[in-house]
Amino acid sequence: MSTHDRLLRVGMVGYAFMGAAHSQAWRTVNRVYDLPARVRMALICGRDEPKVADAADRLGWDGHTTDWRRLVESDEIDVVDICTPGDSHCEIAIAALAAGKHVLCEKPLANTVEEARQMAAAAAQARADGIRTMCGFNYRRVPAVTMMRQFVADGRLGEIRHVRAVYLQDWITDPQFPLVWRLQKDRAGSGALGDIGAHIIDLTQFVTGQQITGVSALTETFVKERPLPAGSSGLAAQADGHGQATGQVTVDDAAVFVARLDGGALATYEASRFATGRKNALRVEINGSLGTLVFDLERLNELEFYDAARPAAEQGFTRILVTEPEHPYLSAWWPPGHIIGYEHSFTHQMRDFIEAVATGTDPAPSFADALQVQLVLDAVARSAELAAWTEVEPTLAEVAA
Ligand SMILES: NC(=O)c1ccc[n+]([C@@H]2O[C@H](COP(=O)([O-])OP(=O)(O)OC[C@H]3O[C@@H](n4cnc5c(N)ncnc54)[C@H](O)[C@@H]3O)[C@@H](O)[C@H]2O)c1
């Protein structure tokens, strides 16, 4: 494997769930793909000194800091990778762009449309100086999902009529599960809607090439008060066992909505953290005039394809095992049939980001693309509040990539 001279020194903020997933991808990417730049995992940031020192050691970072401003301003950093909760994305990203750093930011881009607009505007301005931005909608990079997009773009499904998407989890069904940051609006922006609904909004728009224009939504908070947490990371937490202290849940537990897409398709979406037994069930079905595609994250190496152009006697769903070297991202991995997993989507994400930065092209999804997702999230929240059909506001032309 040959890598070229260019070195990209990465600084990452946040070291828990996504911090670990991104670290694994940064560690792996140059060992799997032949890329025009080499990554150095230079600096990691967290607020607790002993914990971030341990994380640096465990996850493979050269140095650590407790001050994200030092990280974004450092002359020793070229790329800032934001893996913190949504309440800090805007401030960190804008400071990093102002310091001339390329930025990869986890989804959802921000907690509000206003913040997302500021971030997209800052990205558009930085782009003039060759600075690149990307938002971490990693599921686009599951090979079967990328392949769905190719099938649709090649016309294999004909005219898209239906999009059916669910993203279901069950990690807070217990009312004693504590009030972690994901259940607080000021920290997370919204609940299931922004956390997992954002993924299926991005994924379906990516696959179909169509954008959501309007929605009619219902949201619900089933458990309105919860014990305060002693500590949390990712989707795990411990309750504060010392007393009866509780706090209000200020986000949705579930969001369901119907939508229209600008190419004429009708769509349904469901995002819930109360789907008992469903751990991380992301499923998408697309029905077109010439066929149907079905993706299920629990079987992420497979794609189901119904080709209505085949003779009637042979019609039926075909299970395509997406592990051939001809399939997206897979030529660098294992021999056919030797499957891949969740973490590979992050390695693919880093591959595309590094390639774009090193070759001076725009990675996708850009901050402008992620702003458009934020506008859909906002329309869903407003629709649920008003109990009315709600149009998605257009992305302002000046920030469109
Ligand atoms: N792409 C995906 O599939 C996916 C999955 C999970 C989470 N996410 C997104 O990733 C982000 C982080 O989620 P997570 O699950 O990793 O959360 P987490 O709670 O596991 O980790 C958050 C990390 O941010 C750190 N942090 C918080 N505020 C900070 C600050 N001001 N300065 C420095 N560090 C700070 C915490 O110490 C912790 O290390 C969120 O935006 C979330 O929506 C994306």
Side-chain angles (χ1 to χ4, degrees):
M1 180 173 64
S2 76
T3 47
H4 304 256
D5 287 341
R6 181 147 183 206
L7 180 66
L8 289 177
R9 298 159 302 175
V10 180
M12 188 179 77
V13 191
Y15 56 81
F17 180 17
M18 276 309 101
H22 284 216
S23 296
Q24 168 142 327
W26 289 123
R27 275 198 313 269
T28 312
V29 68
N30 283 122
R31 293 178 168 84
V32 176
Y33 292 105
D34 185 10
L35 293 172
R38 195 161 42 86
V39 165
R40 176 180 296 158
M41 294 168 68
L43 195 57
I44 184 174
C45 172
R47 292 160 301 177
D48 182 299
E49 214 281 329
K51 285 188 184 162
V52 73
D54 171 66
D57 189 41
R58 196 165 29 87
L59 301 173
W61 294 83
D62 292 344
H64 67 271
T65 175
T66 53
D67 179 4
W68 65 259
R69 288 182 193 283
R70 182 169 102 67
L71 181 146
V72 301
E73 281 159 17
S74 167
D75 291 338
E76 315 274 291
I77 295 295
D78 307 299
V79 170
V80 173
D81 181 9
I82 303 172
C83 292
T84 56
D87 60 343
S88 52
H89 289 185
C90 182
E91 199 182 7
I92 299 173
I94 288 178
L97 291 169
K101 310 295 165 45
H102 307 282
V103 179
L104 171 61
C105 181
E106 259 306 337
K107 51 50 62 180
L109 187 62
N111 276 2
T112 64
V113 164
E114 180 47 36
E115 287 174 349
R117 280 198 197 287
Q118 288 172 28
M119 293 168 77
Q125 208 178 351
R127 185 170 172 266
D129 300 322
I131 301 301
R132 309 289 157 187
T133 55
M134 188 197 222
C135 186
F137 285 109
N138 58 301
Y139 290 123
R140 285 182 176 213
R141 269 112 185 155
V142 172
V145 173
T146 312
M147 195 168 148
M148 285 174 98
R149 176 181 165 91
Q150 289 172 0
F151 268 52
V152 173
D154 291 346
R156 301 290 298 277
L157 259 58
E159 204 171 310
I160 305 299
R161 303 268 163 71
H162 287 290
V163 171
R164 216 163 285 113
V166 302
Y167 198 162
L168 307 174
Q169 300 181 337
D170 72 350
W171 55 281
I172 56 169
T173 45
D174 179 355
Q176 292 307 309
F177 188 90
L179 188 71
V180 295
W181 69 262
R182 277 184 162 83
L183 306 182
Q184 300 166 34
K185 188 176 166 74
D186 58 337
R187 300 223 57 209
S190 66
L193 174 60
D195 191 18
I196 52 181
H199 272 302
I200 46 176
I201 291 167
D202 180 72
L203 192 158
T204 52
Q205 294 190 137
F206 168 71
V207 166
T208 60
Q210 297 188 25
Q211 293 200 337
I212 296 172
T213 56
V215 296
S216 181
L218 293 172
T219 58
E220 185 56 72
T221 304
F222 299 114
V223 175
K224 297 182 172 54
E225 196 168 326
R226 288 178 179 274
L228 298 181
S232 75
S233 173
L235 307 185
Q238 313 80 44
D240 174 4
H242 300 305
Q244 302 303 317
T246 60
Q248 292 296 314
V249 176
T250 46
V251 300
D252 59 282
D253 288 333
V256 296
F257 59 100
V258 294
R260 279 192 183 281
L261 275 68
D262 59 6
L266 298 184
T268 64
Y269 294 85
E270 189 180 1
S272 178
R273 293 165 169 167
F274 272 72
T276 308
R278 299 293 174 201
K279 303 302 169 186
N280 197 45
L282 189 170
R283 298 200 188 111
V284 175
E285 176 165 318
I286 315 276
N287 307 131
S289 53
L290 299 179
T292 285
L293 285 169
V294 186
F295 172 75
D296 179 347
L297 184 67
E298 290 175 0
R299 300 167 65 177
L300 68 75
N301 291 275
E302 299 172 23
L303 188 59
E304 275 192 89
F305 179 43
Y306 182 95
D307 183 358
R310 289 180 66 174
E314 293 173 17
Q315 277 180 9
F317 279 90
T318 301
R319 181 182 74 104
I320 302 170
L321 188 61
V322 188
T323 57
E324 297 294 321
E326 291 78 11
H327 289 142
Y329 300 105
L330 283 159
S331 60
W333 290 108
W334 316 117
H338 293 66
I339 55 178
I340 61 163
Y342 172 71
E343 70 271 27
H344 295 74
S345 64
F346 295 97
T347 306
H348 303 161
Q349 175 172 281
M350 299 334 181
R351 184 199 88 159
D352 292 347
F353 184 72
I354 293 165
E355 242 171 27
V357 167
T359 57
T361 53
D362 287 319
S366 65
F367 277 15
D369 297 326
L371 164 61
Q372 188 272 336
V373 173
Q374 202 83 38
L375 288 163
V376 177
L377 296 175
D378 181 64
V380 171
R382 286 186 291 121
S383 169
E385 204 174 307
L386 301 169
W389 179 261
T390 304
E391 302 286 330
V392 177
E393 277 182 43
T395 311
L396 293 181
E398 66 261 30
V399 301

